[in-house]
Amino acid sequence: MSIIFALSDKIDRMATSNLLTTNTVNLKALMANGRTYQVPPYQRDYSWKEENWEDLWIDLADLEETSASQHYMGAIVQKEEDNPEQFLIIDGQQRLATLSILVLAAIARLEEMANEGDEAEQNSERANLLRQGFIGSKDPGSLTEASKLQLNENNDAFYQGTLIQLSQPASLRSLSDSEKLLWNAFRYFSNKINAKFAG
């Protein structure tokens, strides 16, 4: 009888350790928790298009109009790596990449306003806080940017080297289809933010 109880206890512990855990968190809690997220190399390239960006923008505008405090963005499936601060994104990479691009567009606008002398100190600080909270921060020793999100092998170099740096692509014609989508997403949200907060 004691063997049955011991086996039963082991099975219960195994089942508990293999269960998926679910949490509902907001984007700030997800990105500002010291963790980094990586899209595995085998995941598909960035593929969201204007209809997806438009849906997201309308949902955010609806939040503002209805004074709602939250918008459900769907599930993100992640797998913990050997380092408990690193996670692989199994599902949800399109949403995380797009939300990151939206934040980058907001940072670009704040930096532009600061450079124009519009609440220069405050807007510069706002841009820095958004960058540290959602995008990444500079390593104090090397002064290189440590990004919270890494895209797949086909998109990450463009994301890290162009979008996070708020740079223009050297040549639009040389971009791959998915890099063009990433760049067009940035332009789309930049135009929306500039129009909303113009003057």
Side-chain angles (χ1 to χ4, degrees), residues 134-187:
F134 295 96
I135 304 301
S137 56
K138 287 191 176 180
D139 178 88
S142 65
L143 295 179
T144 56
E145 191 101 30
S147 175
K148 293 174 185 278
L149 176 64
Q150 293 180 331
L151 301 185
N152 75 0
E153 62 186 353
N154 294 331
N155 294 150
D156 197 54
F158 180 76
Y159 175 74
Q160 304 293 336
T162 302
L163 292 177
I164 286 184
Q165 306 309 316
L166 301 178
S167 302
Q168 289 272 60
S171 166
L172 290 175
R173 282 188 292 182
S174 66
L175 298 179
S176 69
D177 289 343
S178 58
E179 289 171 340
K180 285 177 185 168
L181 288 172
L182 287 163
W183 177 246
N184 287 337
F186 178 77
R187 288 179 50 218

Side-chain angles (χ1 to χ4, degrees), residues 99-128:
L99 289 167
S100 174
I101 292 167
L102 171 61
V103 172
L104 285 167
I107 291 169
R109 179 62 182 139
L110 287 167
E111 288 184 358
E112 190 178 282
M113 291 168 69
N115 292 337
E116 291 169 353
D118 183 1
E119 295 184 15
E121 212 172 289
Q122 296 91 331
N123 283 326
S124 182
E125 186 173 351
R126 288 178 184 112
N128 286 334

